[in-house]
Amino acid sequence: MTLDDFLHQESEWLKGTGPRSNIVMSSRTRLARNLEGLPYSHWADKKQLETILDSVRGAMDSVSFLKGSMFFRMKDLSDIDKVFLVERHLMSPEHTRSGEYKALIVDPKEIVSIMVNEEDHLRIQVLQSGFNIKETWRIIDEIDTALSKKLSFAYSPKWGYLTACPTNVGTGLRGSIMLHLPALVFTAQIERVLGATAKLGLNIRGFYGEGTEASGNLFQISNQVSMGRTEDDIIDNLERIIDQIVSREDSSRNTLISKNKEALTDRIWRAYGTLKSAHIITSRETVALLSAIRLGVDLGVFKDLNREMVTELFISTQPAHLQKLSGKILTAEERDVKRADLIREKLK
Amino acid sequence: MTLDDFLHQESEWLKGTGPRSNIVMSSRTRLARNLEGLPYSHWADKKQLETILDSVRGAMDSVSFLKGSMFFRMKDLSDIDKVFLVERHLMSPEHTRSGEYKALIVDPKEIVSIMVNEEDHLRIQVLQSGFNIKETWRIIDEIDTALSKKLSFAYSPKWGYLTACPTNVGTGLRGSIMLHLPALVFTAQIERVLGATAKLGLNIRGFYGEGTEASGNLFQISNQVSMGRTEDDIIDNLERIIDQIVSREDSSRNTLISKNKEALTDRIWRAYGTLKSAHIITSRETVALLSAIRLGVDLGVFKDLNREMVTELFISTQPAHLQKLSGKILTAEERDVKRADLIREKLK
């Protein structure tokens, strides 16, 4: 299996399956881990960084979940391939930069990925489609246990797992959930809901993680604190709050349908009409329109469209995906034309 | 024949045929005439107004162009029917108001219409599709000659034909041409072109005549002065200037195609996509989108669309037309839904 095979496979995070998948796009946990006796990646020298790479690579085979996984050195990947992996939510945007000693492990199903020598020596990530945060925790816990039999992780009885950034010390755990909240946006309740969520100690981020804006009515919500609580507590708390947001979105959708059906239908169909007809379209506009269409699919507006088609367009219209599909580097203007071509072809 | 038969007939002014019909929608002349020895309509009493009505009605038969024409007293028409006649450019918006002694004569082909007791006793109008201003003058001159054998028009050897408003004194002639100028608007040249046109002594008006804004890139251009020149001079001058504007629009279209084809195609197709998909749409947005589609038809962008279809939508989506087609009075909100339904049905 190679990286290019992912092109013809749905990202786990956008698959559109699993519990509450009409509102919850995907669930993810990640664990930050560092090898005992070695400086954090930013302070380690070349030899130490190579040691970290070798150690992690050597431990891979002991993890049943990583059977058949690929190991990429970042320096061996093209710029497009790196962005491609970010677009598939398999690694962070930061991991694309100065990659001499950075690596990525990915399992063929794109459920598990491990960034090596990002901020921490290991950033283990598990993705599941839909509202499945408990399952991601179950899997990542198993992987962590298996790896810790081969690797000695930096751990303090007082502080817990030690990490490069103090906000991750303790469990090193971050659970995050990608939500599609078009009705809360449409009814202008989103600010209030997100404000309340922030007060409960959760972080809200956009489409591509930290530092990015929300687009396409997609919001990524995660725990802020990873210390002073057990992993189960963190996951339970996150799950409980998300459950409330999901209910709010759900009832907003019902209100929209009963009180504002024509305006809603109009907006959804116009989004479809524009996607089906445009000859030039940016990534941002595409995501916004696909959000409306996804809502339309969820509400049964369309007969011939399903969530998978929408998902496929979400993924394949991203810049690096487009360029890999075209087999060449494209300027932003060329991408906007190519994107429109692709969408029209798929919606024909 | 009744008024409702017009519903299933194309308005002459939007037919989309005739010379330069890719740019010139229609040509129109009108003559203002008043009966000698009677005050202008606004100052006339009931008996005098009835006398005017009777005289004009009695003279109708002597005009071969008016054979089979209908004679409507405004007081006998519903509000919707009156607006319907305005939408078909067969009478002015002013003619819908306080209509006790107002009447309208219309020939079945909608080429000739005569408003009786508008500002002047007679406002004779001749419409032709496309760039056909000379032909409208030829026809109206013939009608004027025939009528003047039965009716004695107020005329001063010094001033010419006498009219209620001094701006019409002299020939009483106004020639006007409806132009579709999307490329001049798109390339932001329109202000300059219209400014130059105004300096040459022509008036520029919007979609429904005096006092209305331009919409759908449609501009109505007419002569300002009707005195001190012969009718032939007025028509020649108008024709010459319009010819220049048409050339400018033409070359702008060519420039757009060669330099900006993708952006243009994108805009045209998006207009189509929106019309084909919207579930709520205002009259104003409809006209703007249809303008883009008409340009698309002219430039050969569409395979399955022709100018007639666009024309039919232009006409049938107007408020009174929509209500007559629905057979009932509709609120503005209901019309916006009905309009969208009708457009989707036609573009299916």
Side-chain angles (χ1 to χ4, degrees):
Chain A
M1 180 156 190
T2 72
L3 199 58
D4 288 359
D5 292 327
F6 286 166
L7 258 185
H8 311 289
Q9 166 171 311
E10 282 175 352
S11 291
E12 181 71 19
W13 80 275
L14 263 179
K15 222 173 199 168
T17 56
R20 306 311 308 261
S21 54
N22 60 331
I23 294 170
V24 183
M25 308 287 285
S26 56
S27 306
R28 179 175 68 162
T29 57
R30 69 111 170 103
L31 285 175
R33 293 289 184 263
N34 290 279
L35 302 186
E36 207 173 30
L38 285 164
Y40 296 124
S41 308
H42 293 323
W43 291 273
D45 63 25
K46 294 177 185 185
K47 214 182 135 203
Q48 291 167 323
L49 289 165
E50 283 288 0
T51 305
I52 296 161
L53 282 172
D54 290 345
S55 308
V56 176
R57 187 165 201 170
M60 267 174 73
D61 293 340
S62 65
V63 181
S64 63
F65 272 106
L66 293 177
K67 212 152 259 172
S69 288
M70 290 167 282
F71 182 98
F72 301 110
R73 291 280 300 242
M74 284 299 115
K75 63 174 181 172
D76 300 333
L77 296 181
S78 69
D79 286 344
I80 289 182
D81 277 345
K82 283 186 258 186
V83 178
F84 176 75
L85 288 163
V86 174
E87 288 175 358
R88 296 187 82 80
H89 287 221
L90 294 170
M91 64 183 218
S92 65
E94 294 71 36
H95 210 50
T96 63
R97 288 190 273 277
S98 54
E100 184 64 18
Y101 298 96
K102 285 175 175 167
L104 182 75
I105 297 167
V106 197
D107 92 293
K109 288 184 176 165
E110 301 181 63
I111 292 172
V112 185
S113 67
I114 303 176
M115 288 187 280
V116 187
N117 285 330
E118 209 240 27
E119 186 180 295
D120 295 297
H121 297 165
L122 290 92
R123 283 279 178 108
I124 312 163
Q125 169 185 285
V126 171
L127 271 172
Q128 288 282 286
S129 194
F131 197 7
N132 253 331
I133 193 71
K134 278 242 165 70
E135 176 67 2
T136 62
W137 163 239
R138 192 192 63 73
I139 297 171
I140 211 165
D141 189 30
E142 208 171 299
I143 293 167
D144 183 44
T145 305
L147 282 173
S148 64
K149 285 178 185 154
K150 297 280 174 179
L151 300 170
S152 194
F153 291 142
Y155 184 85
S156 137
K158 187 177 175 192
W159 300 108
Y161 288 98
L162 300 175
T163 57
C165 175
T167 57
N168 293 314
V169 167
T171 58
L173 174 70
R174 177 147 295 158
S176 69
I177 304 212
M178 182 77 79
L179 295 163
H180 186 228
L181 306 175
L184 288 175
V185 172
F186 193 105
T187 58
Q189 295 177 74
I190 191 72
E191 291 301 333
R192 202 148 37 90
V193 171
L194 295 182
T197 307
K199 279 186 191 152
L200 291 167
L202 298 188
N203 263 331
I204 297 136
R205 292 165 182 183
F207 197 50
Y208 292 117
E210 197 156 1
T212 66
E213 264 179 73
S215 63
N217 304 316
L218 292 171
F219 298 88
Q220 190 173 299
I221 296 180
S222 60
N223 61 302
Q224 208 155 22
V225 177
S226 60
M227 193 167 55
R229 287 182 165 195
T230 68
E231 288 85 348
D232 284 330
D233 271 357
I234 291 170
I235 297 295
D236 278 349
N237 184 50
L238 182 62
E239 193 177 53
R240 210 168 33 244
I241 297 170
I242 296 296
D243 199 55
Q244 286 176 27
I245 300 175
V246 169
S247 298
R248 294 289 290 273
E249 169 68 17
D250 221 11
S251 64
S252 288
R253 290 186 184 185
N254 290 333
T255 310
L256 272 180
I257 293 167
S258 62
K259 292 196 178 161
N260 220 342
K261 193 176 181 184
E262 269 162 357
L264 185 69
T265 309
D266 181 56
R267 194 184 276 211
I268 290 168
W269 274 107
R270 280 171 178 253
Y272 177 73
T274 301
L275 280 175
K276 213 175 145 73
S277 311
H279 279 59
I280 301 175
I281 195 162
T282 63
S283 183
R284 175 164 285 270
E285 185 183 6
T286 302
V287 168
L289 296 175
L290 285 173
S291 163
I293 290 183
R294 192 180 204 271
L295 179 63
V297 169
D298 293 341
L299 299 180
V301 168
F302 300 110
K303 275 179 198 156
D304 307 329
L305 279 177
N306 53 43
R307 211 180 285 157
E308 271 169 22
M309 282 182 66
V310 180
T311 296
E312 204 197 323
L313 283 174
F314 251 118
I315 298 172
S316 59
T317 55
Q318 297 178 98
H321 277 74
L322 260 186
Q323 293 178 86
K324 281 185 78 73
L325 284 168
S326 307
K328 59 180 174 188
I329 295 171
L330 302 170
T331 64
E333 288 73 23
E334 288 168 339
R335 288 203 297 273
D336 290 350
V337 171
K338 184 81 193 167
R339 182 178 296 112
D341 289 348
L342 178 85
I343 296 169
R344 288 202 316 283
E345 182 60 34
K346 295 274 179 190
L347 292 180
K348 205 152 72 181
Chain B
M1 182 160 190
T2 72
L3 199 58
D4 287 357
D5 292 326
F6 285 166
L7 257 184
H8 310 290
Q9 166 172 313
E10 283 175 352
S11 291
E12 181 70 21
W13 79 275
L14 263 179
K15 222 174 200 169
T17 57
R20 307 310 310 260
S21 54
N22 60 330
I23 294 171
V24 184
M25 307 289 284
S26 56
S27 306
R28 179 176 68 162
T29 58
R30 68 112 170 102
L31 286 175
R33 293 289 184 262
N34 290 278
L35 302 186
E36 206 173 33
L38 285 163
Y40 296 123
S41 308
H42 293 323
W43 291 273
D45 63 24
K46 294 178 184 182
K47 217 183 134 202
Q48 291 167 324
L49 288 165
E50 283 288 359
T51 304
I52 297 162
L53 282 172
D54 289 345
S55 307
V56 176
R57 187 165 202 171
M60 268 175 71
D61 293 340
S62 65
V63 182
S64 63
F65 273 106
L66 292 178
K67 212 153 256 170
S69 288
M70 291 167 278
F71 182 97
F72 302 110
R73 292 280 301 242
M74 284 299 115
K75 63 174 182 175
D76 299 333
L77 295 181
S78 70
D79 286 344
I80 289 182
D81 278 343
K82 283 186 259 187
V83 178
F84 176 75
L85 288 164
V86 174
E87 289 175 359
R88 296 185 84 79
H89 288 221
L90 294 170
M91 63 183 219
S92 64
E94 293 70 36
H95 210 50
T96 61
R97 289 190 274 276
S98 55
E100 183 64 16
Y101 298 96
K102 286 176 174 164
L104 182 74
I105 296 166
V106 197
D107 92 292
K109 287 184 177 165
E110 302 181 65
I111 291 172
V112 185
S113 66
I114 303 176
M115 289 187 280
V116 187
N117 285 328
E118 210 240 27
E119 187 179 295
D120 295 296
H121 297 165
L122 289 92
R123 283 278 179 107
I124 311 162
Q125 169 184 285
V126 171
L127 271 171
Q128 287 280 288
S129 194
F131 198 8
N132 253 331
I133 192 74
K134 279 241 167 69
E135 176 67 3
T136 62
W137 163 239
R138 194 192 62 73
I139 297 171
I140 211 165
D141 188 31
E142 207 172 298
I143 294 167
D144 182 45
T145 305
L147 282 173
S148 65
K149 284 177 186 156
K150 298 281 173 179
L151 301 169
S152 194
F153 292 142
Y155 184 84
S156 138
K158 186 178 175 191
W159 299 109
Y161 289 99
L162 301 175
T163 56
C165 175
T167 58
N168 293 314
V169 168
T171 59
L173 174 70
R174 176 146 296 156
S176 69
I177 304 212
M178 182 77 80
L179 294 162
H180 186 228
L181 306 174
L184 288 175
V185 172
F186 193 104
T187 57
Q189 295 176 76
I190 191 73
E191 291 300 333
R192 202 148 36 90
V193 171
L194 295 182
T197 307
K199 279 186 191 152
L200 291 167
L202 298 187
N203 262 330
I204 297 136
R205 292 166 181 182
F207 197 52
Y208 292 118
E210 197 158 1
T212 66
E213 264 180 74
S215 63
N217 304 314
L218 291 171
F219 298 88
Q220 190 172 300
I221 297 179
S222 60
N223 61 301
Q224 208 156 24
V225 177
S226 60
M227 192 165 58
R229 287 184 165 195
T230 68
E231 287 86 347
D232 285 330
D233 272 358
I234 290 170
I235 297 294
D236 279 350
N237 183 51
L238 181 62
E239 193 178 51
R240 209 167 36 244
I241 297 170
I242 296 295
D243 199 54
Q244 286 175 28
I245 299 176
V246 169
S247 298
R248 293 289 290 273
E249 169 70 16
D250 221 10
S251 64
S252 288
R253 290 186 185 185
N254 290 333
T255 310
L256 272 179
I257 292 167
S258 62
K259 292 196 180 162
N260 221 341
K261 193 174 178 185
E262 269 162 356
L264 186 69
T265 309
D266 180 57
R267 195 185 276 209
I268 290 168
W269 273 107
R270 280 171 179 253
Y272 177 73
T274 301
L275 279 176
K276 213 175 143 73
S277 311
H279 278 59
I280 301 174
I281 194 162
T282 63
S283 184
R284 174 164 287 270
E285 185 182 6
T286 302
V287 168
L289 296 174
L290 285 174
S291 164
I293 290 182
R294 194 182 203 270
L295 179 63
V297 169
D298 292 341
L299 300 180
V301 168
F302 300 110
K303 275 180 198 152
D304 308 328
L305 279 177
N306 52 45
R307 212 180 284 157
E308 271 168 22
M309 282 182 67
V310 179
T311 297
E312 203 197 324
L313 283 173
F314 251 118
I315 299 173
S316 59
T317 54
Q318 297 178 97
H321 277 74
L322 262 184
Q323 294 177 82
K324 282 184 77 72
L325 284 167
S326 307
K328 58 180 175 187
I329 295 171
L330 302 170
T331 64
E333 288 73 23
E334 288 168 339
R335 288 202 299 273
D336 290 350
V337 170
K338 183 82 192 167
R339 182 178 295 113
D341 289 348
L342 178 85
I343 297 169
R344 288 202 314 284
E345 183 60 33
K346 295 273 179 188
L347 292 180
K348 206 153 70 186

